[in-house]
């Protein structure tokens, strides 16, 4: 199963990604997670990416595309993969198409999760993440059993630097300008699966699985 998760920040891509990769036993490739890991490790890539991420802007295509191309050649991608947060520009989508066709592969589906801006802002601002395992919670919509602690690891939860209102608003605008055109791009290829991101987490997951198995 070769999948792409498309949608604005806070739509629920990462949340659904965790459940989808578990069910289909494929790797979760989140470019945002790759950049955050690089920032944590203090790499050159992390330093460059942080300049853009802190402002809510996209990291330049040339930095992102090479990382994904390289990642797709790893052994764990033989059964497929789930791309989360990539592609985000038409240029990235074209680069992905070229790379996949050179490998003799095609995407199976592009899952487009959507919600309106008011919900997206509330979701992103209330998002909390486990420092150890990366599990995602929401202070109101998906709270951990013990406040501020991961259910699985019992470790502290943190808030992303870019999950503050002003940056989230910029990220949503950037999505509308640079990423939303991908819906048309993939619609023309007959790959889009539109999902209402305002539904409960489990309902969304069931709808996705049903559609993938049709
Ligand atoms: P994205 O990866 O698209 O930016 P996330 O999956 O991290 O979004 O979700 C953003 C926030 O919204 C998280 O705090 C998550 O717990 C919460 N969330 C995700 N899906 C839903 C949903 N269907 N209903 C309510 N809250 C949700
Ligand atoms: P995410 O974790 O998907 O919300 O991404 C967080 C931030 O990482 C974005 O606001 C961008 O700055 C950067 N980023 C992640 N993926 C990409 C991508 N495909 N292209 C450009 N920038 C990206």
């Amino acid at each position: 199963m070769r999948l792409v998760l498309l949608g604005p920040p806070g739509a629920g891509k990462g949340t659904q990604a965790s459940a989808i990769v578990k069910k289909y036993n494929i790797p979760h490739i989140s470019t945002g997670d790759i950049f955050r890991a690089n920032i944590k490790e203090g790499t050159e890539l992390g330093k460059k990416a942080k300049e853009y991420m802190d402002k809510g802007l996209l990291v330049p295509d040339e930095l992102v595309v090479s990382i994904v191309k390289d990642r797709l050649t790893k052994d764990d991608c033989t059964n497929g993969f789930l791309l989360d947060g990539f592609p985000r520009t038409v240029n990235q989508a074209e680069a992905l198409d070229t790379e996949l066709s050179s490998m003799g592969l095609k995407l199976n589906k592009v899952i487009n999760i959507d919600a309106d801006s008011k919900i997206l802002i509330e979701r992103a601002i209330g998002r909390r993440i486990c420092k150890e395992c990366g599990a995602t919670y929401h202070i109101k919509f998906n709270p951990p059993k013990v406040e501020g602690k991961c259910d699985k690891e019992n470790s502290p939860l943190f808030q992303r630097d870019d999950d503050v209102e002003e940056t989230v608003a910029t990220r949503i605008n950037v999505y509308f300008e640079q990423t939303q055109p991908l819906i048309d791009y993939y619609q023309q290829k007959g790959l889009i699966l539109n999902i209402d991101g305002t539904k409960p987490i489990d309902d969304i997951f069931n709808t996705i699985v049903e559609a993938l198995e049709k």
Side-chain angles (χ1 to χ4, degrees):
M1 195 77 84
R2 288 176 294 277
L3 304 170
V4 165
L5 269 173
L6 197 63
K13 300 182 296 298
T15 302
Q16 295 303 325
S18 312
I20 296 169
V21 298
K22 211 163 145 194
K23 178 159 177 76
Y24 294 107
N25 195 24
I26 49 177
H28 176 190
I29 305 176
S30 155
T31 40
D33 283 351
I34 293 172
F35 289 134
R36 281 184 289 277
N38 275 273
I39 291 173
K40 208 167 153 190
E41 286 161 23
T43 66
E44 273 312 305
L45 172 68
K47 280 179 202 152
K48 278 190 205 151
K50 190 170 163 44
E51 285 175 33
Y52 298 90
M53 291 169 78
D54 283 350
K55 295 184 191 133
L57 303 175
L58 294 187
V59 174
D61 288 342
E62 59 269 24
L63 288 182
V64 191
V65 168
S66 55
I67 292 170
V68 175
K69 274 189 184 173
D70 184 55
R71 183 65 187 82
L72 292 178
T73 63
K74 300 284 184 253
D75 285 349
D76 63 346
C77 291
T78 31
N79 279 336
F81 50 79
L82 174 64
L83 286 167
D84 166 8
F86 181 94
R88 257 178 158 102
T89 62
V90 171
N91 192 23
Q92 291 179 16
E94 287 169 351
L96 176 63
D97 279 347
T98 308
E99 183 62 14
L100 289 177
S101 57
S102 78
M103 296 164 88
L105 300 173
K106 275 189 175 159
L107 291 173
N108 296 96
K109 271 279 179 261
V110 174
I111 304 164
N112 174 42
I113 309 182
D114 204 8
D116 70 46
S117 296
K118 192 167 170 278
I119 293 179
L120 298 174
I121 290 176
E122 194 180 6
R123 284 205 188 153
I125 290 172
R127 169 163 47 196
R128 299 291 182 272
I129 301 165
C130 172
K131 274 197 156 64
E132 292 299 320
C133 71
T136 299
Y137 298 88
H138 190 281
I139 50 172
K140 194 160 127 196
F141 306 132
N142 184 22
K145 292 191 183 95
V146 178
E147 199 187 321
K149 293 264 172 85
C150 177
D151 292 350
K152 293 167 225 160
E153 305 288 334
N154 203 34
S155 4
L157 303 181
F158 76 100
Q159 184 174 20
R160 277 167 48 174
D161 290 343
D162 58 352
D163 277 345
V164 289
E165 188 158 356
E166 204 190 325
T167 316
V168 173
T170 305
R171 287 160 57 206
I172 293 171
N173 285 335
V174 166
Y175 166 81
F176 284 129
E177 279 169 23
Q178 301 189 59
T179 308
Q180 207 182 34
L182 291 183
I183 299 176
D184 259 0
Y185 179 91
Y186 285 122
Q187 191 89 57
Q188 280 168 23
K189 294 178 188 284
L191 288 174
I192 286 279
L193 170 62
N194 282 312
I195 295 290
D196 177 359
T198 64
K199 297 272 191 300
I201 292 171
D202 292 347
D203 292 6
I204 295 177
F205 177 63
N206 291 333
T207 307
I208 293 174
V209 170
E210 229 170 78
L212 291 180
E213 293 184 0
K214 231 194 235 163

